[in-house]
Amino acid sequence: MSEVRPKRILDATPPGDLKTRVMRWEFLLLALLLGVIVLGVNLHHNFLAPNHLFNGISVFLVRGLIALSMAYCLLLGEIDLSVGAIVVLAATLLGVVFNATGSALLGLLTALAVGLLCGALNGLILVKFRELPAMIVTLGTMILFRGLSERILGPANIGGMREVTWFANLYHGRLGPVPYFVIFFFVLAGIFWFVMHKTTFGRHMFAIGANRTAAEYAGINVGKTRLIVFSISGLICGISAVFFSSWVGSVRSDVGLGYEIEAIAMCVLGGMSTAGGKGTLPGVLIAVFIIGLLRYALSLVNVNPETVRIILGALLITVVTMQNVRRFVRKKTAPAN
Amino acid sequence: MPEYILELHGITKLFPGVKALDNVNFQLKAGEIHALMGENGAGKSTLIKVITGVHQPDAGEIILDGKKVSFKSPRDASQAGVAAIYQHVTAYPHLTVTENIFMGHEKRTYGFIQWRTMHKEAQVLLDALKVDFHATDLMGSLSVAQQQMVEIAKALSTNARIIIMDEPTAALTRTEANRLYEITEKLRDGGVAIVFISHRFEDMYRLASRVTVFRDAKYIWTRNVSEVSEADLIHAMVGRELTDLFPKPELEIGPEVLRAERLSCTGFFKDVSFAARRGEIIGITGLVGAGRTEVMETLFGVAKPDGGALYLNGAQVQIRSPQEAMQKGIGLLTEDRQHKGLILDWGLGRNITLAELSQFSKLGFINEKAERVTAKDLAERVDTRAKTLFDLAGSLSGGNQQKLVVARALTSKLDVLIMDEPTKGVDVGAKAAIYEIMGELAGQGMAIIMVSSEMPEILGMCDRIYVMCEGRITGELSRTEATGEKILELAMKKDGKTELGETG
């Protein structure tokens, strides 16, 4: 066919007009975050006092850390229910090793290694038995890991880590008014953002979540990606366990209860689709602060934990339904065909 | 009674930024089979959606039985006796045939579903179509052809007087297509008016009495099929002369790159041997279900063979995953572009670059600008008919999605490219473009393996042809000795008694 068809030129400038940007979920979340801050300031005059504020932030970032890696699991269309159990197992073994050797560094390394291994175990099971849903596998390992730490600890607790100054400073130390931990969190969040949105690994995660078969046919190593993501999830739990130990200074077997639920709630509020393939890390980051600061504000005025739960639950349901309404409106106005 | 059962006058349909239909007309007589032809994206599917009430036109009128009507929803159209059978079967695989037939208009008494009545009525409809399955079978257990029969039964269950069939033969084998022809004719004889959309000229000549052509959202003409030549049609659809439908370049055939020896996979294929050389286009044909796709997926590492050997550039290799296949230089363009080929929620650009992201990245960091440049270039080369690089792949018509899949193959540096039904559902202009690209790739020294059921392209494009039947290769023909008759004969050679297969 020698005749040349008039070539149709494709527009390759990324869509980025003001309206679509403002309509993005992250901006609505930012407005919500602002609302929470305004509420907080009105509830208590000390809400923005750096000392109080950073204390409050540090407390929820122990869980906020896990939302970062949970976002990756959800992006793949998977879920990791074992995160809370990995935190407690890692913290338990940190305490055991510390008490046995007297070395906080050995304890810290143990916690990281335990986290990584637990995550890798989840990943390996999922890769070996491809058709098993992550929800079931990690439900199983959640019970297993928690059972292990209950067996090791019994009703007792292990403590003393805070006697080691540098270890206590991991959580409590500050650069000016800003805790090292908060700085660490933002650096980590930056890395998570970069990997998710700017690298081939991130693109592969999006592809697997959106259409696993198509990703496989495009030559993406789906098994390897899943293994890595679940290992990261475990490692982050190990890190969370380290900061928890540095914060509280002791471990009981009921540590980390409900972490998985909170991390998932933060991700979903942040716009991660539980079906996989959709979401942004900035969204999750903002959602971490919405939930965290709201908790902090309510704790300042001594609202009891039951009421906090009711408020958080109601907020989550409201926002998530809003998200659906918004999608519906968009569908109505978007071209069909 | 008016001459036309359905008339459309001056229909215009706008989507943001696109005129999908531009002042078009269409007239359908009662009891005729009317072919609707045009390239992908010419506006056929939009027209159907206007007729069936999915879309409301921005201008123009629809006249049914001489009276002006407006369909606000598919339900309105269905009550007026209009039914459509879509290109992609929209079935519920986990429900029974009966449930699929009566979906949306179940028989109820006081709110209770009347299963027995429904099964009985469904069976009556199915018996009239002379099918070989039952109303109580699960939809998911049926073949594509059988599912299409269910869709037809569904249309009949609503007492449709106008049935629109959107590319019903695209996924059918020849025998199945023949069954469909017979049934369509029977429906026509029963007084149903049928709009038949297909890219196969064969379908049109066989069935239709009149044909309407659309091009670029505009109505071109309506004529009697008996007065239209294939060249007229192509000219009307493409808007220019297509001098050479099969631009097969004469190439120097190089050394052998791929050889399969007695590959077997229990239940799918047995003792399959073939070879492909650089610069060569080989065809693998046979009836749908002959095991062609399974052989290809084995080459690509999706499935494992349980016997036989595979050689790449003379060395024996084992391919355990698509990733490994691509690293070794084997690419596959899958037949099932909707599920295996594309990420429909993604834009064009990202779909094109997905397999070869490393080309645009350093240390894992993607250079999105470089990515866009390449993606734009390739998308324009295959002419996907989209407006921007960020249009969702799912928003393209089937044929344009296929072009997208082809564009992706152009990013990879491959030794062997397997194309499974590369022109399924693709219009004549785009077909020529795909063939041209095939020729180019072969010219660069690639070996191309084309799996296809379309006789003309197998005969027109391939240097050598392997024919499969029931999981075995029943024959090999060179370009010069191949004819349609010989291929058909080999494709029906059920006993598999050739020098390659054993008697089984």
Side-chain angles (χ1 to χ4, degrees):
Chain A
M1 203 179 62
S2 49
E3 203 173 333
V4 180
R5 172 194 292 267
K7 200 170 170 184
R8 275 162 241 256
I9 301 296
L10 266 180
D11 187 358
T13 38
D17 59 286
L18 197 66
K19 199 176 149 206
T20 53
R21 279 185 184 217
V22 172
M23 276 303 286
R24 284 179 64 169
W25 186 244
E26 290 79 41
F27 279 82
L28 300 183
L29 285 177
L30 270 181
L32 192 58
L33 179 62
L34 200 69
V36 169
I37 292 171
V38 170
L39 177 79
V41 172
N42 279 306
L43 279 181
H44 200 278
H45 60 280
N46 267 345
F47 181 83
L48 284 179
N51 230 356
H52 282 85
L53 184 63
F54 281 117
N55 266 338
I57 290 176
S58 300
V59 170
F60 70 74
L61 285 191
V62 173
R63 279 159 291 175
L65 273 175
I66 297 171
L68 299 178
S69 51
M70 187 64 81
Y72 280 14
C73 294
L74 291 176
L75 185 57
L76 288 185
E78 324 252 9
I79 203 162
D80 187 351
L81 293 179
S82 68
V83 286
I86 298 179
V87 171
V88 70
L89 186 60
T92 301
L93 291 171
L94 184 154
V96 168
V97 169
F98 172 74
N99 278 339
T101 65
S103 162
L105 181 65
L106 272 183
L108 184 151
L109 293 176
T110 308
L112 299 185
V114 168
L116 187 63
L117 285 176
C118 290
L121 177 68
N122 282 333
L124 279 177
I125 296 174
L126 288 171
V127 172
K128 271 274 163 249
F129 304 94
R130 293 166 30 122
E131 301 311 320
L132 279 182
M135 192 185 286
I136 303 304
V137 170
T138 57
L139 183 71
T141 54
M142 167 177 102
I143 298 167
L144 171 72
F145 297 152
R146 198 164 275 283
L148 279 175
S149 74
E150 276 164 358
R151 187 69 200 268
I152 295 166
L153 281 176
N157 60 13
I158 286 189
M161 288 80 91
R162 261 165 70 178
E163 314 299 315
V164 182
T165 319
W166 70 263
F167 189 78
N169 274 340
L170 288 178
Y171 180 88
H172 295 281
R174 288 176 180 225
L175 186 70
V178 190
Y180 298 134
F181 173 44
V182 173
I183 297 170
F184 172 81
F185 174 83
F186 276 100
V187 171
L188 197 69
I191 295 170
F192 268 75
W193 167 80
F194 185 82
V195 169
M196 179 161 156
H197 293 290
K198 296 285 164 193
T199 67
T200 51
F201 183 77
R203 188 72 68 79
H204 288 173
M205 287 196 292
F206 273 99
I208 293 168
N211 184 343
R212 188 162 135 187
T213 317
E216 229 156 44
Y217 274 76
I220 293 170
N221 193 334
V222 176
K224 190 170 124 195
T225 311
R226 293 172 93 200
L227 178 62
I228 291 174
V229 166
F230 276 89
S231 302
I232 291 174
S233 179
L235 179 62
I236 293 294
C237 293
I239 294 174
S240 179
V242 169
F243 284 107
F244 180 88
S245 305
S246 165
W247 169 31
V248 178
S250 68
V251 187
R252 271 201 343 217
S253 62
D254 60 356
V255 165
L257 272 180
Y259 275 27
E260 58 285 335
I261 303 299
E262 189 140 351
I264 294 164
M266 286 167 169
C267 288
V268 172
L269 177 63
M272 298 299 304
S273 154
T274 47
K278 283 203 178 78
T280 69
L281 203 85
V284 173
L285 198 58
I286 300 166
V288 167
F289 277 83
I290 291 174
I291 292 186
L293 287 179
L294 188 60
R295 268 180 183 277
Y296 158 66
L298 296 174
S299 73
L300 276 180
V301 287
N302 292 322
V303 175
N304 63 39
E306 294 80 12
T307 316
V308 172
R309 240 174 261 151
I310 293 171
I311 295 173
L312 282 179
L315 172 82
L316 198 66
I317 291 297
T318 315
V319 176
V320 173
T321 33
M322 254 170 67
Q323 202 171 12
N324 260 323
V325 169
R326 195 166 142 273
R327 261 186 215 137
F328 178 72
V329 172
R330 276 208 174 165
K331 257 204 188 125
K332 279 258 154 172
T333 51
N337 195 18
Chain B
M1 195 169 159
E3 184 187 1
Y4 298 110
I5 181 168
L6 178 75
E7 286 180 84
L8 278 75
H9 292 303
I11 299 283
T12 296
K13 177 70 195 169
L14 303 168
F15 292 121
V18 195
K19 216 174 216 181
L21 287 176
D22 186 359
N23 195 22
V24 304
N25 302 318
F26 183 71
Q27 291 171 317
L28 184 66
K29 288 180 191 168
E32 75 166 341
I33 298 179
H34 194 126
L36 187 56
M37 314 264 305
E39 295 192 273
N40 300 127
K44 296 165 301 187
S45 295
T46 312
L47 183 81
I48 291 174
K49 286 180 179 163
V50 167
I51 298 176
T52 54
V54 176
H55 294 324
Q56 282 69 50
D58 294 303
E61 52 186 18
I62 303 175
I63 294 163
L64 188 71
D65 299 323
K67 283 191 270 311
K68 197 176 166 207
V69 291
S70 86
F71 297 141
K72 298 264 181 296
S73 70
R75 181 163 274 261
D76 286 357
S78 155
Q79 274 163 0
V82 181
I85 293 159
Y86 289 106
Q87 201 170 341
H88 306 294
V89 177
T90 50
Y92 301 89
H94 301 298
L95 300 183
T96 62
V97 169
T98 304
E99 284 169 288
N100 272 284
I101 289 178
F102 287 102
M103 181 61 65
H105 57 279
E106 294 84 357
K107 302 272 172 199
R108 271 175 294 191
T109 313
Y110 306 120
F112 291 99
I113 293 185
Q114 298 301 307
W115 286 111
R116 212 175 299 164
T117 329
M118 272 166 53
H119 278 310
K120 221 187 265 166
E121 287 188 24
Q123 196 60 51
V124 169
L125 290 170
L126 293 176
D127 288 344
L129 296 174
K130 294 207 179 78
V131 296
D132 52 354
F133 54 90
H134 296 284
T136 46
D137 289 345
L138 278 186
M139 194 72 171
S141 68
L142 305 182
S143 71
V144 180
Q146 290 173 325
Q147 293 190 14
Q148 232 151 25
M149 294 300 155
V150 176
E151 295 278 318
I152 291 173
K154 183 176 179 175
L156 293 176
S157 75
T158 61
N159 295 317
R161 295 174 301 138
I162 298 172
I163 297 183
I164 299 160
M165 300 188 180
D166 191 359
E167 286 200 50
T169 54
L172 302 189
T173 63
R174 188 169 292 266
T175 355
E176 289 167 342
N178 278 329
R179 288 275 310 130
L180 184 76
Y181 292 155
E182 284 165 26
I183 286 165
T184 313
E185 281 166 344
K186 221 164 109 193
L187 291 175
R188 175 198 60 196
D189 297 341
V192 178
I194 290 161
V195 182
F196 201 96
I197 297 179
S198 173
H199 289 304
R200 293 190 183 172
F201 293 160
E202 191 187 333
D203 292 342
M204 183 201 75
Y205 283 117
R206 168 70 208 277
L207 278 178
S209 50
R210 296 198 305 150
V211 54
T212 294
V213 179
F214 277 30
R215 182 176 73 233
D216 293 334
K218 291 191 181 69
Y219 169 86
I220 305 299
W221 46 243
T222 302
R223 290 185 192 166
N224 290 328
V225 169
S226 52
E227 296 158 13
V228 176
S229 74
E230 215 167 285
D232 293 340
L233 259 181
I234 292 177
H235 188 87
M237 286 163 61
V238 185
R240 70 202 145 93
E241 305 285 339
L242 266 185
T243 43
D244 189 2
L245 254 182
F246 299 108
K248 167 98 181 71
E250 290 308 317
L251 294 168
E252 190 95 343
I253 305 286
E256 180 179 286
V257 259
L258 180 89
R259 184 152 49 93
E261 267 180 18
R262 301 177 75 91
L263 276 186
S264 300
C265 184
T266 311
F268 296 106
F269 54 87
K270 196 164 183 347
D271 289 331
V272 169
S273 305
F274 61 91
R277 290 169 289 181
R278 288 192 182 278
E280 191 177 40
I281 300 176
I282 69 166
I284 299 203
T285 186
L287 304 176
V288 172
R292 303 168 309 176
T293 298
E294 288 77 9
V295 173
M296 295 308 132
E297 297 206 323
T298 304
L299 292 187
F300 194 57
V302 177
K304 280 195 193 83
D306 33 49
L310 197 62
Y311 298 85
L312 208 55
N313 295 313
Q316 188 171 355
V317 291
Q318 274 193 341
I319 291 171
R320 285 166 290 249
S321 70
Q323 194 199 17
E324 207 175 341
M326 292 183 64
Q327 280 163 358
K328 293 200 156 86
I330 302 177
L332 170 77
L333 301 187
T334 156
E335 166 194 34
D336 187 357
R337 55 200 170 221
Q338 300 247 339
H339 298 110
K340 299 176 182 168
L342 295 171
I343 297 179
L344 299 176
D345 287 350
W346 280 18
L348 266 58
R350 292 192 169 191
N351 266 299
I352 291 175
T353 55
L354 182 60
E356 289 295 331
L357 270 181
S358 53
Q359 282 180 19
F360 318 103
S361 41
K362 257 193 197 130
L363 303 169
F365 172 68
I366 302 171
N367 180 346
E368 292 192 19
K369 219 169 163 187
E371 184 194 357
R372 281 201 295 273
V373 170
T374 308
K376 175 176 149 71
D377 185 47
L378 292 175
E380 281 171 3
R381 205 166 134 202
V382 295
D383 190 13
T384 49
R385 307 271 167 112
K387 295 217 55 127
T388 81
L389 206 50
F390 304 91
D391 289 4
L392 300 187
S395 72
L396 299 180
S397 69
N400 285 319
Q401 287 178 1
Q402 182 62 36
K403 295 186 205 166
L404 206 55
V405 173
V406 172
R408 181 190 286 167
L410 299 176
T411 59
S412 307
K413 300 213 175 0
L414 299 169
D415 289 329
V416 181
L417 178 63
I418 306 164
M419 305 172 101
D420 196 354
E421 300 283 5
T423 63
K424 187 166 106 183
V426 172
D427 63 61
V428 57
K431 268 185 190 170
I434 289 173
Y435 297 144
E436 201 178 9
I437 290 170
M438 270 168 83
E440 258 174 58
L441 293 176
Q444 290 164 18
M446 244 185 234
I448 309 261
I449 303 176
M450 175 167 65
V451 176
S452 172
S453 317
E454 302 251 336
M455 200 72 84
E457 71 184 15
I458 285 284
L459 292 171
M461 288 304 294
C462 298
D463 294 295
R464 272 182 313 124
I465 298 156
Y466 292 94
V467 186
M468 284 187 77
C469 178
E470 295 191 336
R472 294 158 194 274
I473 287 189
T474 48
E476 179 188 341
L477 299 166
S478 74
R479 185 174 174 76
T480 43
E481 61 188 352
T483 63
E485 290 71 39
K486 278 188 194 164
I487 290 177
L488 258 185
E489 193 184 310
L490 289 168
M492 312 285 252
K493 199 167 174 177
K494 301 245 177 216
D495 60 350
K497 270 186 188 159
T498 68
E499 73 269 30
L500 293 170
E502 312 161 0
T503 38

